C-alpha cells in the first residue's frame, strides 16, 4: 500500500504492553497513534482525525462509554469507528460503550487474526462512509451555488437541509435553520391553510400541485420580519417501501416581480384613464375647431363667390387665399385626428370609386396661389385619361395636398415644383418633385419605420414634415398602394405614390 494511502489508527490504553501488542500487529499496514489516557485520546481524536480508534474498556481517567459518547456527539469524530478492547468479565462497561456508539469489540487476549479482520472490515466501511459524506457535501455545495431556494423537510415538517440561497432569503444562518419547524415561517393570515395543505401532502392525502405561490415570513438584518412571495415546486421523498418520509421544495422569490406587476397594472390603469381623457379632450377639440372653421369657410366662400357683393380684383385674389387656407386648415385638423385614430387603431376607411384626374386638377388649382406667392415655377403633367381607383377620397386628397404643400413650402423662390400622374400596368403613378434642399436622413429613416414612440398627438401634424410623410405613407398603405421617397441633400426631393387600379377598370376622359 502506498504511504499516502495508509490509514491512521489511534490506540487509547494506559497499559504499555497492550499498546505495544496492538501496534506490533497493525504497524505493518497502518500508521499508529498512541495515547495513554482518555483525555489525551479525545484530544488526539479531534486533532489527528484517525480512521479508526482502538479503545481499552478499562481506561483509567475517563470511562470508556463516556469517551464513546463524547466522540459520537462531535461532528468531526462521530463517523470514526471505535473498537472496544475488553475482557469477558467487563460485560457491563462493554454494553454501555456499545450503547454509546462503539462499533465493535474484541476480547482479550487479542488474536492477530481477529483484530486484523475487524480493523480491515471497519476501515472498509469507514472509506465507504467517507465517500458518501464527500459526495453528499459536494451535492450540498452544488445546491448552495444554484440560484434557487432549496429546502428539505422531514416527515415532521422540520427543516433537514437548507441551501445558501434559502438562508439568504429567509434571513437565517444555516445552523439555526436546521431543525426549525417549517410552519414557523408561515404568516398568521395564511398559516392554518398552509399547515393543512402541507400535512395533507406528507400524509399522501393530497396531490402535489406542479407549481404554487405561497407567502413566507423572512427576517431582515435589523430583526424585523417581511412577507415574501415564493413560487414553489415540490417533490415528495419516499423510502424503499413507498412511504412518504419528507419533501424537497425548490422555489423562486417572486416578490419583486409581483410588486413590479402590481405597479405596472396601476401604471396601465393610469395610462388607460389618461388615454380616455385624451380621447374625450380630442373629441371636444374636434367639435370646437370644426364649428368655427365651418363658419369661416362658409362665409369666405360666400364672399369669394360674390354672393354678398362684387369684389375688385385684389379683394377677389385675397378671398381666394382665405378660402384655400381654410381648406388647408381643415386638412391639418383631419390629419391631427387621423394620428389619434391611428394610434388607437380606430380608423375606419369608407371606400368608393374616385376620379383621380378631377381630384388632382382641383388640388393643383387650390395650390396655385401659394405657387404664385412663393415665386416658383409649377409644372403639371396629368394624363388625359386616368383609370378609376377605389379608396377614401378624403384621405387621398389630404395626401396629395400635403405632398404638394410640402414641395411648395420647402422650395425656395426661383425653384420648381412638378406634379405628374399616369397609369402603367394596372398601377396609377403619381410623382411630386421639387428642387428644394432635400429631406434630412433622420427624417427619411423615420419614414421607413413608423410614428416615433415619443411622439404625441400634440406635436404630430402635417406641418411637421417627418410625421406628415409617415401619415401619408400609412394612408397609401391602407389603400394597398405604396409610397417611396428619393431625396438627396441639396438636390431636391421626388416622392412616388402608387395606387392600384380598380379591378373593373374604367377610364375618365378629360
Amino acid at each position: 500500500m502506498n504511504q499516502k494511502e495508509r490509514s491512521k489508527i489511534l490506540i487509547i490504553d494506559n497499559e504499555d504492553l497492550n499498546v505495544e501488542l496492538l501496534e506490533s500487529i497493525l504497524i505493518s499496514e497502518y500508521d499508529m497513534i498512541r495515547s495513554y489516557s482518555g483525555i489525551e485520546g479525545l484530544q488526539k481524536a479531534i486533532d489527528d482525525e484517525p480512521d479508526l480508534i482502538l479503545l481499552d474498556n478499562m481506561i483509567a481517567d475517563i470511562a470508556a462509554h463516556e469517551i464513546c459518547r463524547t466522540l459520537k456527539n462531535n461532528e468531526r469524530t462521530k463517523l470514526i469507528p471505535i473498537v472496544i478492547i475488553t475482557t469477558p468479565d467487563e460485560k457491563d462497561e462493554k454494553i454501555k460503550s456499545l450503547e454509546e456508539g462503539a462499533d465493535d469489540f474484541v476480547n482479550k487476549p487479542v488474536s492477530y487474526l481477529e483484530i486484523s479482520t475487524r480493523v480491515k472490515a471497519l476501515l472498509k466501511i469507514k472509506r465507504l462512509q467517507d465517500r458518501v459524506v464527500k459526495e453528499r457535501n459536494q451535492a450540498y455545495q452544488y445546491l448552495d451555488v444554484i440560484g434557487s431556494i432549496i429546502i428539505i423537510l422531514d416527515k415532521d415538517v422540520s427543516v433537514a437541509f437548507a441551501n445558501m440561497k434559502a438562508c439568504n432569503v429567509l434571513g437565517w444562518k444555516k445552523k439555526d435553520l436546521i431543525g426549525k419547524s417549517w410552519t414557523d415561517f408561515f404568516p398568521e393570515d395564511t398559516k392554518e391553510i398552509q399547515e393543512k395543505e402541507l400535512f395533507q401532502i406528507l400524509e399522501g392525502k393530497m396531490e402535489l400541485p406542479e407549481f404554487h405561490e405561497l407567502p413566507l415570513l423572512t427576517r431582515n438584518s435589523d430583526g424585523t420580519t417581511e412577507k415574501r412571495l415564493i413560487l414553489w415546486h415540490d417533490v415528495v421523498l419516499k423510502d424503499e417501501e413507498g412511504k412518504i418520509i419528507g419533501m424537497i421544495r425548490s422555489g423562486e422569490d417572486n416578490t419583486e416581480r409581483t410588486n413590479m406587476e402590481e405597479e405596472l397594472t396601476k401604471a396601465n390603469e393610469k395610462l388607460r384613464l389618461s388615454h380616455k381623457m385624451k380621447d374625450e379632450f380630442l373629441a371636444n377639440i374636434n367639435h370646437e375647431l370644426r364649428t368655427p372653421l365651418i363658419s369661416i369657410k362658409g362665409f369666405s366662400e360666400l364672399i369669394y363667390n360674390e354672393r354678398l357683393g362684387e369684389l375688385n380684383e385684389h379683394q377677389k385674389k385675397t378671398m381666394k387665399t382665405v378660402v384655400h387656407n381654410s381648406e388647408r386648415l381643415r386638412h391639418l385638423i383631419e390629419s391631427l385626428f387621423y394620428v389619434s385614430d391611428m394610434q388607437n387603431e380606430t380608423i375606419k376607411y369608407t371606400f368608393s370609386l374616385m376620379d383621380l384626374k378631377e381630384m388632382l386638377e382641383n388640388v393643383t388649382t387650390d395650390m396655385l396661389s401659394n405657387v404664385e406667392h412663393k415665386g416658383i415655377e409649377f409644372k403639371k403633367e396629368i394624363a388625359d385619361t386616368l383609370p378609376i381607383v377605389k379608396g377614401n377620397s378624403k384621405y387621398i386628397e389630404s395626401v396629395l395636398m400635403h405632398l404638394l404643400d410640402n414641395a411648395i413650402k420647402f422650395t425656395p423662390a426661383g425653384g420648381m415644383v412638378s406634379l405628374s400622374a399616369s397609369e402603367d400596368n394596372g398601377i396609377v403613378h403619381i410623382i411630386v418633385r421639387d428642387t428644394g434642399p432635400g429631406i434630412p436622413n433622420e427624417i427619411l429613416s423615420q419614414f421607413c419605420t413608423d410614428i416615433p414612440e415619443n411622439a404625441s398627438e400634440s406635436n404630430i401634424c402635417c406641418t411637421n414634415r417627418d410625421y406628415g410623410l409617415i401619415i401619408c405613407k400609412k394612408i397609401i398603405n391602407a389603400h394597398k398602394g405604396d409610397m417611396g421617397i428619393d431625396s438627396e441633400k441639396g438636390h431636391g426631393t421626388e416622392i412616388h405614390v402608387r395606387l392600384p387600379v380598380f379591378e373593373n377598370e374604367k377610364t375618365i376622359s378629360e
Side-chain angles (χ1 to χ4, degrees), residues 278-290 337:
K278 175 210 66 178
D279 292 341
E280 292 173 354
F281 174 75
L282 285 176
N284 184 55
I285 288 295
N286 186 16
H287 173 74
E288 294 295 330
L289 288 176
R290 287 176 190 272
F337 293 106

Side-chain angles (χ1 to χ4, degrees), residues 223-269:
T224 59
T225 58
E226 179 184 2
K227 188 187 291 188
R228 301 192 72 81
L229 199 61
I230 313 297
L231 179 66
W232 293 108
H233 175 66
D234 297 338
V235 177
V236 167
L237 298 174
K238 297 181 179 181
D239 61 15
E240 294 178 354
E241 297 177 357
K243 294 180 180 179
I244 296 174
I245 59 173
M247 175 192 296
I248 300 177
R249 296 199 124 172
S250 60
E252 299 292 336
D253 188 352
N254 276 359
T255 309
E256 302 304 328
R257 180 186 62 80
T258 304
N259 291 341
M260 188 177 296
E261 287 177 353
E262 290 177 357
E263 292 298 322
L264 284 174
T265 300
K266 292 177 183 177
N268 284 334
E269 179 61 19

Side-chain angles (χ1 to χ4, degrees), residues 332-343:
L332 292 176
I333 293 171
E334 294 292 342
S335 296
L336 171 65
F337 293 106
Y338 175 85
V339 174
S340 177
D341 291 340
M342 182 176 66
Q343 290 191 334

Side-chain angles (χ1 to χ4, degrees), residues 73-92:
N73 287 333
N74 188 302
E75 194 66 29
R76 294 180 62 182
T77 59
K78 67 180 182 179
L79 296 180
I80 300 175
I82 302 174
V83 179
I84 301 297
I85 309 298
T86 184
T87 60
D89 58 349
E90 296 168 353
K91 184 178 179 181
D92 291 342

Side-chain angles (χ1 to χ4, degrees), residues 270-282:
K270 288 182 179 178
L271 187 62
R272 187 188 68 79
L273 293 174
S274 175
H275 274 297
K276 183 180 178 183
M277 291 174 63
K278 175 210 66 178
D279 292 341
E280 292 173 354
F281 174 75
L282 285 176

Side-chain angles (χ1 to χ4, degrees), residues 420-445:
S420 65
S422 60
E423 185 268 338
D424 180 33
N425 199 24
I427 300 293
V428 175
H429 295 259
I430 301 169
I431 303 173
V432 178
R433 298 182 181 90
D434 66 61
T435 57
I439 301 175
N441 290 332
E442 60 269 20
I443 295 179
L444 286 176
S445 63

